[in-house]
Every structure is written in structure tokens, then in C-alpha cells.
Amino acid sequence: MRPSVLDPYFASVTSLPGIGPKLAPLFDRLVAEPGQPARILDLLLHLPRAGIDRRVGASIADAPAGQPVTLAVRVAEHRPAPPGRARAPYRVLVEDETGDVTLVFFKAQRGWMEKLLPVGETRFVSGTIELWDGRRQMVHPDRILDARGFAALPDVEPVYGQTEGLGTRVVAKAVAAALERAPALPEWQDAAWLAREGLPPFRDALAALHQPDSPLALSPEALVRSPARRRLAYDELLATQLALGLVRAQAKRPAGRAIVPDGTIVARVAAALPFRLTASQERAVAEIAGDLASGRRMLRLLQGDVGSGKTAVALMAMAIAAGAGRQSALMAPTDILARQHAARLAPMAAAAGLSVAALTGRDKGRSRSAILEGLASGTIDIVVGTHALFQDDVRFRDLGLAVVDEQHRFGVHQRLALGAKGEAVDVLVMTATPIPRTLALTYFGDMDVSVLSEKPAGRQPISTRALPLERLDEVVGAVGRAVEAGARVYWICPLVAESETIDVAAAQDRHEHLRALFGARVGLLHGKMSGRDKDAAMADFASGRTAVLVSTTVVEVGVDVPEATIMVIEHAERFGLAQLHQLRGRIGRGADASTCLLLYKAPLGETAKARIAIMRETEDGFRIADEDLKLRGEGEMLGTRQSGAPDFRLADFAADGDLIAAARDDARLVIERDPNLEGERGQALRALLYLFERDAAIRLLRAG
Ligand code: ADP
Ligand code: MG
């Protein structure tokens, strides 16, 4: 149960004055997790991007042009638009001892203007001064206030990220009201540590960030060092480490059931593999077998670059579980990937008499109940699925092993949710996104790790080339010749943030264009297609019925068509490095040489240029990940959401590296001293876990 002190934080934003049914969906879109209603907490964690100084700064003569200023002025004269020229602006001349400024308004009403700016009176005016013909003017000031209104205004006005229909001032008002509702909370951090680091309490940190006392306090440079932001970042990191630590502590309890398989099933699956495992696959399988056979619960990360063959390792692990009579679940991030895995695994599993099913959001009605039935009765040995596996009515006869593919797409709490579906479930998580050291620590705590350090033999290096989009026709010609010669080609159209519809349109256009040239051998795949059409498009491409697959980034993770040898990426400059690496990883999977063409729009910015250079230089995922972190480190304060980094709202890996290690040590100490979070600090820490949505870990406390 959530501690009741948190209730005001978890109340809906609609409980704030002025937020009714019209504004609520806008706030949902702006601050909440997709599909969730916005809560006061979400609003408070929506930090301002900048601050505008509303203190009266310079006199008119000294006020700088081109940036927001606030002036105290006397209203000198109104100059309405001349009669008959309704489109001419309404001007008001204002002055102080040092000079004058013309305020310019379009579509202004005389009566209203005279009330707003009475001649002879003093008013406070904020806005941006421009020079026009050597004269100062201010078009549509942001604010015009009398002395009373001005006194009520904060010195620094926060500026928020906004969404269509919801301006920064409405957000600011809501945040101010939210701050009033939000109570101080019992301290969960070590008091001595806070004092030493000079960090404020949680509630004060929020207030300091939303109501800064200087506009500079919100600049990226100041934020990196800001005690208020660091405090919240540390809270988030500690919540994550604590959740991981609790999972870990539970895993270490000897509650696991030893999985000792019947060797024939494992041997049959191994014999059905169409290749011999590489040495590092063998090693990983042996490490996993060791974990499973031990009485303690497995929590292992399998890390291997794209194309290194993680799926085969997962299959062997699941065969071991099945050999001991227990079921396995393999979680994939997308519907396409789940179905691909199921289709791949089924024949090899069948060779050992095991049955495989797929379960995704697409399964409804009778087909879904048949699968649920098979899982509950145990006739299904291996299920491959998406988030649909987490649903409450999915029950297993005896789930022994949960495998999570493309781990970075899932959160800690989701991993936990699967683990809770069986008794002493062993967990294997697989990731292709190479994770730099600091991130690994943050994300996985101290899990056991197996690494696939080599790719299957016989792979050839991918040749990567960059070309400006002007040379599209040449590329199309070359693709045409390659298709004639029997090649299979991915053609990726980029994802434009925020608008799936536009992306899809771009892919559809390119599909039509190529189809006009190459005929029916050009397929199309995007996220808005029905599940069945997606399957058909994938199946056509895998079987060679289509030779070119025009697609949005839905093929980014995991898709495996070894015959594909060409990857064209349009607008490569719009992709992050991790994403480019993932996309390129779709080719170079067979014995034939592969080519990746990065089409970019010239001129390239510095970062995009560096990214493309790195892509051309190396295929090594670890190097690419390190370079990625370097390139993204600066400038992108809070932008860790994309491409493989875990969902942190506040912590920043470049700036807060020192805090990550501190949080891990702190979490360890807490768990050692108060493993069930029952003491005074433990109780407060429970609240912290809820605030940062790491509360699934609390369920473990109860279960254990
Ligand atoms: P990833 O690690 O990216 O998930 P996959 O498991 O999809 O990689 O494997 C990539 C490709 O390599 C697949 O086509 C798979 O069948 C093939 N493969 C995996 N292991 C081997 C091996 N030991 N020898 C040859 N091919 C292999
Ligand atoms: Mg994979």
C-alpha cells in the first residue's frame, strides 16, 4: 500500500483549480507516461527549461535588444491605426528618463488599450526590444502590469516545455498550485550525507527548480551543478539501485528450485540447431546451466552485439528448463519480433517434442483463451510474447525461466512482473545494446553477466558508405541492379519524432516510388499496419517473395533475415548512433558480403557528421556505444529516453556519474541493515520507491 503522505502527489492534475476536461488531456500528453492520466507528481517532475528575468533590469537606453527585458515606464502617447487602415498596428509610446520605446500591437482595440496603458501612468512592461529603423520597439509585450500586479509576479518566471494548446503560462500556474498542494516528505536520504553535499530536502528541491531566484539557475551549465537538480537525480538513482538491490537480495535467497534437466531433451534441441554453437555461445549456455542447477535463483544478463546469436542461447536455456519439466517465457519488445522468435524456435523445439506458442496483444478471444489454457495446463512448454504476457490472467502451470530479449525496452518493474508468475523463476535478460559501464551499473546493479564476444564464423565485414540524398537516383539504380542479381534489401524511412502518421506517409511514398520501378517485388512494413499485414510483409521478405522491404524503424530490433545484404537508411542524420547500429545489424547475418548506405541531407551538423564517421569506421557495438555517450553527453541534459538508455527523468549520466556509484553503495548498505525497509529510514525509502515508480520491488518484500 502506498504511504498516504504521498496521496497529494498522486492526485490527478484535474484536482487543481482551472484544469477541467478540456485541459486534462493536454496535461496528460505533456507530462504523463503515454496512456496514463497526469498526476501532480508528473507535473512537478516536469521541470522548466529556462527562466525569464522579470525584475526591472536596465533603463530603456541600456536595455539590450533581442532578449527579454522588464522595464518600468511612463505611458506617453497612444497612436491608434489611422482610420481606414485597419491592418496598420496600434502603437503606444512609453518612456523613462533615458529614452523611449514604441509598443506595437496588431488588431488592438482602442478602448481596451487605453485601459491597459493609461496615459501618464507607470506600468511594468516585459518583452523583447528590437531595433527598427534605429528606433526601439517592442511587439506584443509578454506582460503589461501595474505596480500591484508586478509585485505579485515572481522575479524569475519559469518557461516550460509545452504542447499544442497548452502554453507555458498555463503550465506555470498549474505547477504553482501543485507545489502548494505538495507536502514535505519524511527524509529518506542520509541526513549527514545531505549536509555534506549541501543538498536540499525533496520538496524544497522541487520548489527551487520551479521557482528559481535567478534566470541563470535554469541554464544547462548551472543545472549540471545545481544542488536541487542533483538532489532529485540522486533520489531517482537511489530508487533504481534500491529496487535492483531488493531484486538481487531476493534472488540470493536459496528459494530457487534446482533445475536439473533430462539430458535427452536438451540433446535433441541441440541437434536440431542448424549450426554449431560458437565457443562463447557454449560458454554462456554452460554458465546458465550452472545457475539453473544451483539452488539459488538465476539473475543473469546475456550481453552480445547484434547478430552474435543470443536467440540460440535462449533456446538452449529454455530447453534445459523444459528438460526439467518447467515452462519458459520469452519476452520480446515487439509483436513482429515475438512472432519471428516463435516461428524460428518452433521446429527446433518440436524436434524434442516441445510445443511453442506466441502471445501478443493481437491475440484476442478464442485464440487467446486457447493459449492461456495451454499455459495453465502445461501443454505449452515455451511461450514467446510481448507485454501481453504480464496480464493478470496469464497463468502458468509451472514457470521456471523467464527470458527477456532486447532488455533495454523493458523496465525493472516489468522484469519483476514476469518473475512473479511462477515459483522461484530464474531470469535471463538479453541485450544487444552494448551498455557502457556506468549505465550497466545503473541499470542492472550487480547482476551476473555472460558475454558473447564473437560472432558466428564466416561473417564478412559490412561496407558502410555515406551519400547525400541528392544521389538518391544513383542509389535506386544500384538497388535495382542488386535486386536483379538476387539481393534482398531493407530500405528504411526515418521516424520523425511525434508524428507516426508523417513517417508512415514517407514510407508509403517511397514504397510507391520503388514499386513503380521494380514492380511487385517491393514490400512495405510500418507500425500502423494490422498485425496480419505485418506478418505477411515480413514473411514475404523472409521467403524472398519480395526483394525490397521499405520500412519505418519497426525492423530496428531483432529482426532476422540472413539473406538480406543491403540496408539503405534515408535521412541517416536523424538517427542516433545506437539506432543506426541496430538497423545496420539487420544485415551481415549470412555468409555474403553486405553493404549499408547512409543517405543524408546535406549540409550535415557537427554531431551528425561525427555519428556517420563512426558508423563508417567501426562495427564494434561497444565502441559505438562509448562514442554515443560522448556525443550525447553534453547538451542533452535530460534526454536519456531514447536509444537504449533506461527511463530516467532527472538523472544524467554525464553529469551524475559520481552519484551512480554512491547510490549503489548506499542501496547496499540500506539492504544490509534493513532488508525489509521497516525502520524509520526504510519507511521513508518506500515512499521514494513509489515516487519513482520502482515500487514493484516492494511487492517482493511482502512475498519474501
Ligand atoms: P542477436 O544476438 O542479434 O539476437 P540472432 O540470435 O538473431 O542474433 O542471430 C543472428 C543470426 O545468426 C541468426 O540468423 C542465427 O540463426 C545465426 N546464428 C546464431 N548462432 C549461430 C552460429 N553459432 N553459427 C551460425 N549462425 C548462427
Ligand atoms: Mg535478437
Side-chain angles (χ1 to χ4, degrees), residues 310-311 337 341 405-406 430 432 557-559 586 589:
K310 294 182 292 296
T311 320
L337 197 51
H341 278 329
D405 192 15
E406 303 298 348
M430 313 201 289
V557 287
V559 169
R586 298 312 108 214
R589 299 185 148 236

Side-chain angles (χ1 to χ4, degrees), residues 311-380:
T311 320
V313 175
L315 175 63
M316 292 311 298
M318 296 192 292
I320 295 169
R326 304 193 64 187
Q327 292 166 293
S328 302
L330 171 57
M331 284 280 317
T334 66
D335 198 88
I336 291 181
L337 197 51
R339 289 192 190 262
Q340 172 192 288
H341 278 329
R344 278 295 152 76
L345 299 181
M348 297 181 242
L354 304 177
S355 83
V356 176
L359 180 68
T360 71
R362 214 200 290 169
D363 297 294
K364 302 239 157 66
R366 211 175 292 158
S367 89
R368 183 166 187 275
S369 20
I371 296 165
L372 296 192
E373 164 64 40
L375 290 173
S377 67
T379 53
I380 296 172

